[in-house]
């Protein structure tokens, strides 16, 4: 399977979002064991980013990024969050 440019950018955004959430967790802005866990913030951020990009480009929701790229972006975002949380 070959990833398109928009899918690669979406995966990179997932990694950046994971790093931002890790920094927010270590800073105290996000509670690690709260009612709204950090991995849910990564998931919702990816979903909102895809909706915003779809609306900006005039494409329907869910047609810009394929399901394997969504899954990979979420997994990479959560892994970066887990690794970044230990280093900050």
């Amino acid at each position: 399977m070959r990833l398109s440019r928009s899918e690669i950018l979406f995966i990179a955004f997932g990694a950046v979002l994971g790093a931002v959430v890790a920094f927010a967790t270590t800073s105290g802005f996000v509670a690690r064991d709260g009612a709204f866990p950090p991995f849910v913030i990564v998931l919702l951020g990816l979903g909102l980013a895809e909706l915003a990009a779809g609306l900006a480009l005039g494409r329907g929701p869910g047609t810009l990024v394929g399901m394997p790229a969504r899954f990979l972006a979420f997994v990479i975002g959560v892994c970066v969050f887990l690794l970044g949380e230990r280093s900050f």
Side-chain angles (χ1 to χ4, degrees), residues 1 3-18 46 65-77 80:
M1 186 187 127
L3 297 173
S4 68
R5 184 180 304 161
S6 62
E7 291 174 335
I8 292 171
L9 288 173
F10 188 72
I11 292 168
F13 179 73
V16 169
L17 189 60
L46 288 171
V65 179
M67 196 62 187
R70 286 186 193 125
F71 183 71
L72 186 60
F74 176 67
V75 168
I76 289 175
V80 167

Side-chain angles (χ1 to χ4, degrees), residues 41-63:
I41 295 172
V42 172
L43 183 63
L44 289 177
L46 288 171
L48 291 175
E50 185 180 1
L51 284 175
L55 289 174
L57 296 174
R59 297 182 66 180
T63 61

